[in-house]
Amino acid sequence: MSDLRQRFYIEDSPVRGEVVHLEEALQTILAQRNYAPAVQILLGEMLSATALLASTLKIKGRISLQIQAQGTLKWAMAECNHLGEIRGLADYEEDPRFQSAIDSSTVLSTLVSPVLFINIEPEFGERYQGIVPLDKADLAGCLMQYHDLSAQIPTRIVLASTEQRSGGLLIQLLPRNNDEEQQRVDEDLWPRLTMLTGTLKTDELTNLDAQEILYRLYNEEEVRLPEVEKLQFGCTCSHEKCANSLTQIGLEAVKETLEINNPIEMDCQFCNKRYLFTAKEALDLFGEHLS
Ligand SMILES: [Zn+2]
């Protein structure tokens, strides 16, 4: 098994879904920092969730989930783009409650004044930001409620993660277009699928491959599977983006930094890649020259 996303359709119905499985990419991301077990599991669920949500976008760009809070966990973020590249990061203070967990609820229960943002950033066009109330026990519960209410698309989401593997399943009842489709629809289908989806166990989600999961849940239905999409770790940092951040902090701050560090070192927190700016390069950004 590797890092992949499997879309599925229930034949002759407005129901579609996705299954994601992360292993190597998850381990690459978790290896960047020495995260406590519960934070690893939270990040695993967030990464699977963004990979699921990215599939619902029809644009080129990226989608991210970002938690901001006041407790010991300050910040956590997971992102996936239209190429299936994922990355994630968390910032927290040591907390004995983070030493073990079975799901994201362990960390969510410790958050103080938390906010969860869904950000959609198209390559071209306007950004979108939604705020998801974090008032359910786990991440999947919060995201399901958000979709039911704001997008008005009935959605079931199951997420699971260990420190090695993470998995997710999303199934949606899409709006129907015309009366003819309405008549052909099996009214019992969605309640039946919801009930079946609820029987999925977390260890099945992290251990079985996508086809096995779909067979295990929906073998009474006609399930159509398009080609599997690959997911992988990918970072969007660049020398140019670092240069932009230097421009934003301003000439004075850059000069002060150069007095302590020359060249200026900028480390990407997501992938640990280091970017260097000599005094000449840094000052050139402001049209200044070395005196
Ligand atoms: Zn990077």
Side-chain angles (χ1 to χ4, degrees):
M1 264 191 299
S2 56
D3 302 297
L4 55 86
R5 181 170 59 208
Q6 171 72 67
R7 176 163 294 195
F8 63 93
Y9 298 96
I10 305 293
E11 215 47 278
D12 296 321
S13 86
V15 175
R16 64 170 282 283
E18 307 279 343
V19 180
V20 300
H21 186 88
L22 298 174
E23 188 161 1
E24 219 181 291
L26 176 73
Q27 289 172 18
T28 303
I29 292 166
L30 297 181
Q32 314 275 358
R33 296 276 176 285
N34 187 20
Y35 291 118
V39 178
Q40 296 190 31
I41 285 165
L42 173 72
L43 275 174
E45 287 194 18
M46 288 176 75
L47 287 160
S48 276
T50 46
L52 289 173
L53 298 175
S55 71
T56 66
L57 295 180
K58 291 174 190 75
I59 46 122
K60 281 188 178 176
R62 53 189 178 171
I63 184 162
S64 63
L65 287 176
Q66 195 181 325
I67 294 174
Q68 288 178 10
Q70 308 291 328
T72 39
L73 184 111
K74 310 289 177 202
W75 187 81
M77 195 256 221
E79 184 182 88
C80 181
N81 67 12
H82 65 278
L83 302 171
E85 292 173 327
I86 60 163
R87 60 178 195 165
L89 189 63
D91 179 26
Y92 67 101
E93 287 165 8
E94 291 305 330
D95 186 325
R97 293 172 293 181
F98 295 165
Q99 285 314 305
S100 69
I102 48 164
D103 59 36
S104 55
S105 63
T106 305
V107 177
L108 295 190
S109 68
T110 69
L111 300 179
V112 180
S113 318
V115 190
L116 172 60
F117 296 104
I118 291 189
N119 297 301
I120 299 170
E121 296 173 57
E123 266 180 15
F124 307 103
E126 247 173 78
R127 292 176 178 202
Y128 165 85
Q129 184 171 71
I131 297 178
V132 183
L134 273 170
D135 54 4
K136 298 282 172 209
D138 59 14
L139 184 64
C142 300
L143 292 171
M144 274 191 271
Q145 176 172 261
Y146 173 79
H147 275 83
D148 286 353
L149 296 178
S150 70
Q152 297 189 325
I153 298 174
T155 302
R156 309 306 299 163
I157 297 172
V158 193
L159 298 169
S161 188
T162 66
E163 292 150 39
Q164 273 79 41
R165 286 189 293 271
S166 134
L169 183 147
L170 172 146
I171 186 165
Q172 290 189 315
L173 178 64
L174 298 175
R176 299 156 207 163
N177 316 330
N178 58 50
D179 295 345
E180 196 189 339
E181 269 187 56
Q182 189 86 37
Q183 284 165 7
R184 283 193 286 117
V185 120
D186 166 4
E187 287 303 335
D188 187 43
L189 179 69
W190 183 248
R192 190 164 73 239
L193 293 175
T194 304
M195 191 272 293
L196 290 167
T197 306
T199 66
L200 184 59
K201 296 186 183 70
T202 54
D203 62 327
E204 294 174 319
L205 199 46
T206 50
N207 289 319
L208 300 180
D209 71 31
Q211 287 84 355
E212 276 180 274
I213 290 172
L214 293 172
Y215 182 77
R216 144 93 182 71
L217 291 178
Y218 313 126
N219 61 69
E220 301 280 313
E221 317 294 336
E222 254 187 83
V223 178
R224 184 159 60 84
L225 302 176
E227 212 173 313
V228 166
E229 295 166 273
K230 282 206 168 78
L231 300 169
Q232 60 197 318
F233 169 69
C235 195
T236 49
C237 62
S238 66
H239 197 269
E240 192 190 348
K241 283 182 185 166
C242 290
N244 284 341
S245 332
L246 286 179
T247 321
Q248 272 166 24
I249 64 168
L251 180 59
E252 285 315 305
V254 166
K255 279 182 174 168
E256 278 169 31
T257 311
L258 281 169
E259 277 168 26
I260 309 160
N261 289 307
N262 184 5
I264 295 177
E265 293 174 358
M266 297 175 82
D267 294 338
C268 174
Q269 299 295 305
F270 287 95
C271 70
N272 290 340
K273 191 170 174 182
R274 174 163 290 185
Y275 294 91
L276 297 176
F277 290 83
T278 61
K280 181 179 182 322
E281 283 174 309
L283 295 173
D284 273 352
L285 298 170
F286 299 91
E288 292 265 321
H289 300 288
L290 278 179
S291 44

